[in-house]
Amino acid sequence: MPRITGYRKAHFNAAHRLYKSDWSDEKNLAIFGKCSNPHFHGHNYEIIVAVTGDIDPDTGYVFDLGILKRLIRSEIEDAFDHKNLNVQVEEFKTLNPTAENICVVSYNKLRKHLPSSLDLEVTLYETPRNFVSYSGE
């Protein structure tokens, strides 16, 4: 059976601040620039989730995209949308909510719900021109 990739795109809006609490404001500003604003700032994130595997001969699916839609909603959108990531999301209380870290956290939240036979890749757009991808490696 051929391997194929199915995609689901979603979005969420969230605020964050990039900083390290053990650094001075000057160092945070030098490293993170305006993203270290102590009053936070926000993004309209786009997330693309890709699942790759064999086509199931019975259903014709690699994975039911309706199920993937519900997983993304419960694990990512409901958890992150209209939240201050630093303050309201447990994973980011001690982890700097960079696009890279948000992508890895999103991957880990989804991975536990998918069959091990499927490959997973998560791509997160922080802006239309700045994005990261993670596939568990």
Side-chain angles (χ1 to χ4, degrees), residues 59-79:
T59 65
Y61 294 155
V62 64
F63 187 74
D64 186 330
L65 294 180
I67 294 171
L68 186 60
K69 172 186 174 180
R70 290 188 293 278
L71 285 172
I72 294 168
R73 183 181 310 126
S74 66
E75 294 296 322
I76 310 302
E77 292 172 298
D78 291 348

Side-chain angles (χ1 to χ4, degrees), residues 7-123:
Y7 297 88
R8 177 72 189 179
K9 184 190 236 187
H11 71 275
F12 62 93
N13 305 313
H16 71 162
R17 177 185 182 204
L18 302 184
Y19 77 105
K20 289 189 55 91
S21 61
D22 56 331
W23 288 357
S24 69
D25 287 340
E26 293 77 20
K27 184 171 183 178
N28 275 299
L29 184 60
I31 301 298
F32 299 115
K34 64 183 181 180
C35 293
S36 71
N37 180 340
H39 300 288
F40 305 93
H41 69 284
H43 294 282
N44 299 316
Y45 293 95
E46 295 284 337
I47 190 166
I48 299 171
V49 177
V51 291
T52 302
D54 295 330
I55 297 173
D56 182 301
D58 293 325
T59 65
Y61 294 155
V62 64
F63 187 74
D64 186 330
L65 294 180
I67 294 171
L68 186 60
K69 172 186 174 180
R70 290 188 293 278
L71 285 172
I72 294 168
R73 183 181 310 126
S74 66
E75 294 296 322
I76 310 302
E77 292 172 298
D78 291 348
F80 299 165
D81 191 39
H82 284 80
K83 303 278 175 58
N84 180 321
L85 298 177
N86 302 75
V87 175
Q88 296 177 277
V89 177
E90 195 62 38
E91 291 90 344
F92 300 114
K93 289 187 177 179
T94 58
L95 181 65
N96 211 1
T98 61
E100 293 86 345
N101 284 331
I102 297 167
C103 191
V104 171
V105 166
S106 298
Y107 173 95
N108 290 335
K109 288 169 74 72
L110 294 170
R111 178 77 262 177
K112 64 185 177 187
H113 296 287
L114 298 173
S116 60
S117 60
L118 294 177
D119 294 331
L120 173 65
E121 181 175 57
V122 174
T123 301

Side-chain angles (χ1 to χ4, degrees), residues 118-137:
L118 294 177
D119 294 331
L120 173 65
E121 181 175 57
V122 174
T123 301
L124 180 75
Y125 283 80
E126 186 174 68
T127 72
R129 291 182 295 264
N130 294 340
F131 60 96
V132 296
S133 291
Y134 181 65
S135 57
E137 299 170 7

